[in-house]
Amino acid sequence: MAERPKGYGLTAELNAKKEEKYDADLANETLQWIEFVIEEPLSFDGQSDNVVAILKDGQILCKLMNILRSNNPQIKFNQSKMAFKQMENISKFLDGCEQLGVAKTDSFQTVDLYEGQNVPQVINGIGALARKAYKLGLTEHSLGPKESDQNKREFSKEQLDAGKHIIGLQAGSNKGATQAGQSFGSTRQIIGQ
């Protein structure tokens, strides 16, 4: 992992916020899901550094993606210990996530995992992949809540016209109340000298 200064002031506050978001139970569930899919045991002790150590080289993530995308060409991943090769593995995993339909906003950046900068986002990104894989029928188990389906609605012309004549409460209606008769004190009296 790259040596970065701890930081002071705002940097330290932002790092503390990221550390507060880390949930060891969610990380454990995520790694158990990966174990289930790739059918290999992973040793996890609950610490965010351990998550980074397990996933940092990107090999497990590429194996996971190859299993989920079994009908597509397999990802050829590097087993090298060189930093740029490991980061390339993570990048290939992220490209695979995007091809499966995981939103970029749900994913993470390569440095979030490789340098351990934002482990909670890594866990959330893998969770988003798990939900998408379950929805597509690629795995039997989901992680977290079920991904929602589109619920498109069709309205007739009459229904749309009827809605134009209704003022919703969000539009600032006060149901006919006025300020008539209210007085909050008297007017300012200016007396000439």
Side-chain angles (χ1 to χ4, degrees):
M1 191 178 304
E3 294 297 321
R4 292 184 172 266
K6 295 290 182 196
Y8 299 95
L10 184 60
T11 304
E13 288 177 23
L14 291 174
N15 288 338
K17 255 187 164 178
K18 286 179 194 173
E19 289 172 14
E20 287 174 10
K21 289 182 181 180
Y22 177 75
D23 183 357
D25 294 332
L26 182 60
N28 188 32
E29 288 177 32
T30 303
L31 291 176
Q32 285 176 352
W33 178 80
I34 293 173
E35 283 179 339
F36 173 78
V37 174
I38 66 172
E39 298 176 350
E40 289 181 22
L42 303 174
S43 59
F44 178 61
D45 66 5
Q47 300 298 317
S48 64
D49 293 341
N50 187 238
V51 173
V52 173
I54 292 170
L55 302 176
K56 180 180 179 177
D57 62 6
Q59 293 179 25
I60 290 174
L61 296 175
C62 287
K63 287 178 189 176
L64 173 67
M65 189 55 64
N66 282 340
I67 291 169
L68 294 176
R69 296 173 7 126
S70 59
N71 297 337
N72 295 328
Q74 298 293 293
I75 296 173
K76 294 180 182 173
F77 55 91
N78 301 299
Q79 296 183 352
S80 173
K81 298 292 180 195
M82 291 190 288
F84 71 94
K85 293 289 187 180
Q86 292 178 348
M87 292 177 80
E88 186 178 338
N89 287 344
I90 298 169
S91 181
K92 288 178 182 180
F93 168 77
L94 294 172
D95 290 342
C97 288
E98 192 174 340
Q99 290 171 2
L100 282 178
V102 176
K104 273 200 173 275
T105 54
D106 288 338
S107 195
F108 58 93
Q109 296 179 0
T110 303
V111 294
D112 290 342
L113 174 57
Y114 189 78
E115 295 181 2
Q117 289 185 3
N118 196 350
V119 179
Q121 185 60 37
V122 173
I123 299 299
N124 290 338
I126 295 171
L129 171 66
R131 287 188 298 277
K132 183 60 80 173
Y134 181 74
K135 182 177 181 180
L136 296 174
L138 302 175
T139 182
E140 297 172 11
H141 295 293
S142 181
L143 187 62
K146 179 185 159 210
E147 189 171 275
S148 63
D149 295 322
Q150 184 178 9
N151 187 4
K152 194 171 183 176
R153 294 179 173 98
E154 298 289 331
F155 295 102
S156 67
K157 178 85 169 130
E158 294 81 27
Q159 289 173 318
L160 292 173
D161 289 340
K164 291 178 183 176
H165 304 293
I166 297 172
I167 299 174
L169 292 177
Q170 291 180 348
S173 170
N174 56 7
K175 297 185 178 181
T178 66
Q179 292 181 354
Q182 295 181 357
S183 64
F184 295 99
S186 60
T187 60
R188 184 173 173 198
Q189 301 290 326
I190 301 176
I191 300 174
Q193 294 178 359

